[in-house]
Structure formats: C-alpha cells, structure tokens
C-alpha cells in the first residue's frame, strides 16, 4: 500500500477506543495509531478525557487505562519499550496493534489516506477524532 501520489504517501490509521464495560458497548475515543509503509513510520497519539471515561463507568481503573495507552505508544516507538515487538518492523507493530481484542483499549477499523507528513497527520487525526 505504498506509492507516491503528488508528493504524498499512502497511510493507514485506526482510532483507539476505550470500552470500560464491554457488555454495555459504550466507548470513547482515546487515540490514533498511524502507519505509513513508505516512510517506515508508525506512531500512536493518545489523549484520555477522564471525565468522559468516568461518566461511562465511575469504577474504571483510570491508571490502568493510562498504562494501556502508554504501552501502545511504547510499541510504536520500538526498542525496549516495545517488549516482544521490539525487533518487529513498523508494519508488523501496526498490524499487531490494530488486531481485534476484547480488552478495555480496542482498535477501531482501519482507514487510509494520503499524506506528505505522517507525524502531522497523527496530530491532525488526534485533534479531529479524539479531543
């Protein structure tokens, strides 16, 4: 899924959702994961609105949610922070992060677009979809 289009590269992204009580199906957006194959780029940007989260579930472990979001960011950065994914390339780390799971932090569907600057795209998507 790479290739240059008028100076822009194809990128993929998924929204990170917090689902404090899976049985209720309620969720808030808390981040984005952006991947650009052409640039070997993967990055997560997160923002947790604690008041909104606590409105869904007053008993939620906010510290645990913050730790889970921090782990996603660490996997994106690679190295020691990535744990078992430390040796994986950006694409493998992205695919692992967007795999469906039933934990409190869940990835949404993957979307695609074109960008000249994946870092700026991550910030733009965080502002548009999360904050």
């Amino acid at each position: 899924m790479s290739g240059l289009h008028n100076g822009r590269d194809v990128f993929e992204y998924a929204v990170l959702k917090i689902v404090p009580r899976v049985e209720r199906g309620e969720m808030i957006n808390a981040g984005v994961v952006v991947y650009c194959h052409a640039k070997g780029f993967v990055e997560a940007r997160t923002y947790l609105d604690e008041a909104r989260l606590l409105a869904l579930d007053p008993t939620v472990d906010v510290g645990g949610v913050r730790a889970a979001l921090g782990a996603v960011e660490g996997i994106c950065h690679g190295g020691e922070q990535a744990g078992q994914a430390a040796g994986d390339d950006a694409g493998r780390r992205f695919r692992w992060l967007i795999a469906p799971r039933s934990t409190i932090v869940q990835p949404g569907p993957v979307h695609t677009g074109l960008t000249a600057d994946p870092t700026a795209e991550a910030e733009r998507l965080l502002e548009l979809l999360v904050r």
Side-chain angles (χ1 to χ4, degrees), residues 20-84:
R21 294 174 57 190
V22 176
E23 69 278 8
R24 291 185 61 139
E26 298 169 330
M27 64 186 74
I28 64 167
N29 293 347
V32 293
V33 181
V34 174
Y35 169 61
C36 179
H37 174 78
K39 304 268 191 227
F41 174 93
V42 65
E43 187 169 320
R45 294 283 175 93
T46 63
Y47 171 80
L48 183 60
D49 184 332
E50 285 186 29
R52 288 182 66 206
L53 179 60
L54 289 168
L56 292 181
D57 182 359
T59 66
V60 69
D61 176 5
V62 174
V65 171
R66 284 199 181 283
L69 290 171
V72 170
E73 291 175 348
I75 290 167
C76 287
H77 291 135
E80 288 183 25
Q81 306 175 86
Q84 292 179 307

Side-chain angles (χ1 to χ4, degrees), residues 2-10 39 114-117:
S2 66
L4 209 54
H5 304 275
N6 295 326
R8 299 181 300 166
D9 294 301
V10 173
K39 304 268 191 227
L114 296 172
T115 187
D117 183 352

